Every structure is written in structure tokens, then in C-alpha cells.
Amino acid sequence: MPEPEENLSRQLDPRSLRGLAHPLRIQLLRALRRHGPATASRLAEQLGESSGATSYHLRQLAAHGFVEDDPTRGKGRERWWKAGQQGTSVDESLYRNPDPEVQGALDIYSHEIATIHTQELGTYLGTRHDWDDSWLGAADMSDFTLRLPADKLRELDEKLHALIESYRDIAEADAPGAERVRIHLHAFPQHDV
């Protein structure tokens, strides 16, 4: 059953960005989104952290609406957490926000996401021979260089996002052989060298 529309993505604003911009919080949220509900202890074991640290940061994520209790799980004092949304996007106005705290949080968030993307790609490359041959030809690691003004890059990004979203609810998602697929898009200006 697909996620309700409101659970798909969360747009960051200055307050929520500051609440999320911590490497462990980003890792916790990623783990809950990827693997589903878990306890602070289970997440601590998975991430190599103390349960006290994961507990604290889960409460901080909950205060900002990124995670919530999962009342369908757990017994007694065992507290299970689940992701509040399946994705996060950055409001464009954050890049122009003059507050140094917001800019610092945006730097932490952006670098952590770039690190995660690099790790995911590295994991795939290290395990690509474990996949069926049909996946080897389907995976892609391309790069392109275009000369565009900022408004055309924005237009290209919007079209790419719309195309990707059109594949979210395809009938084949539950077909035999269907796998979770990660798509990373990086589009940025680069000075001529």
C-alpha cells in the first residue's frame, strides 16, 4: 500500500533544518526510512553508537516532527520509532537566509547528504558483482556538462524530478525481481578551468 501523500516528503525550513543538521540525526532518520521502525537500542547497535546518544537524538528529531512513536510495536517500556516522512527537500530560500546558524546547519546537512550518496555508490560498486546480470546493464553512473543559465538548470531539475516521480507508483514495483533503486542527482555550476 503506498504511503499517504503527506508522508512522502518534508520541506526544510530554518527551524527544522537546525533540528536535523547533526550527523547522527541524519543517520538515524536515514536508518528509519530505509529499514523501518526501530528502538533506540537497535539503532545504537546498527550505527555503532550508545543507546543514550540515539535516544537523545531521536527525541530531538521527534521535537521537530521528523520521527514519531510507532504505537503498533513494542511491549512495556520498549519505545519504537518510525520516520514521519520518506524524504526531505531544501526550501530554496534557505540558501539565501542571512542567519549564520542557518548557513552552518545547511553546510552540515549538505555535506552529510553528499557523504551518504558517496557511501551508497561505493557500496553498490563494491557489491555490483553480487547482482544478477540484468542489473549490471541497468545501473548508470553518467555525467554531463552543459552551459545553462540558472533558470534553465532549475527547469531541468524540475523536469527530472517529475520524470522520476512518474515511476513511483508503477504496477511493476511489486513484480518479481523488482528491487529498491536509489537515484542521486547532482546538478551544480562549475567554473571553467
Side-chain angles (χ1 to χ4, degrees), residues 15-189:
R15 182 181 179 278
S16 61
L17 173 63
R18 287 190 304 266
L20 179 59
H22 184 283
L24 182 53
R25 291 181 196 166
I26 293 168
Q27 292 293 333
L28 288 166
L29 184 56
R30 177 178 178 249
L32 291 171
R33 286 176 174 168
R34 184 169 185 186
H35 303 294
T39 63
S41 297
R42 182 174 289 178
L43 289 164
E45 185 177 311
Q46 182 181 347
L47 299 174
E49 295 286 339
S50 73
S51 59
T54 57
S55 246
Y56 170 78
H57 288 291
L58 283 165
R59 288 191 306 274
Q60 293 303 306
L61 287 168
H64 292 277
F66 290 103
V67 302
E68 54 195 43
D69 282 314
D70 185 351
T72 65
R73 299 176 185 260
K75 304 174 217 118
R77 295 179 50 173
E78 189 175 55
R79 187 174 191 181
W80 283 74
W81 297 93
K82 64 180 181 177
Q85 310 82 28
Q86 287 303 307
T88 307
S89 63
V90 176
D91 182 312
E92 191 174 315
S93 68
L94 291 174
Y95 294 105
R96 290 184 285 280
N97 190 307
D99 184 342
E101 272 191 49
V102 171
Q103 290 307 307
L106 188 56
D107 284 348
I108 290 169
Y109 174 79
S110 299
H111 282 93
E112 192 65 25
I113 296 305
T115 298
I116 289 168
H117 288 183
T118 302
Q119 289 169 343
E120 288 178 346
L121 179 58
T123 298
Y124 167 71
L125 292 174
T127 62
R128 68 190 168 99
H129 297 294
D130 298 343
W131 291 94
D132 181 84
D133 285 348
S134 64
W135 286 102
L136 299 179
D140 181 47
M141 201 169 70
S142 299
D143 63 85
F144 307 89
T145 302
L146 305 172
R147 288 193 67 81
L148 301 171
D151 63 323
K152 287 298 179 186
L153 178 56
R154 188 173 287 108
E155 178 184 304
L156 176 61
D157 287 342
E158 289 170 2
K159 287 180 177 180
L160 288 169
H161 287 219
L163 176 61
I164 292 165
E165 284 301 320
S166 74
Y167 281 81
R168 187 171 297 281
D169 296 321
I170 60 169
E172 294 88 346
D174 294 326
E179 298 285 351
R180 181 177 189 265
V181 173
R182 292 285 288 154
I183 299 168
H184 299 168
L185 293 177
H186 304 270
F188 50 89

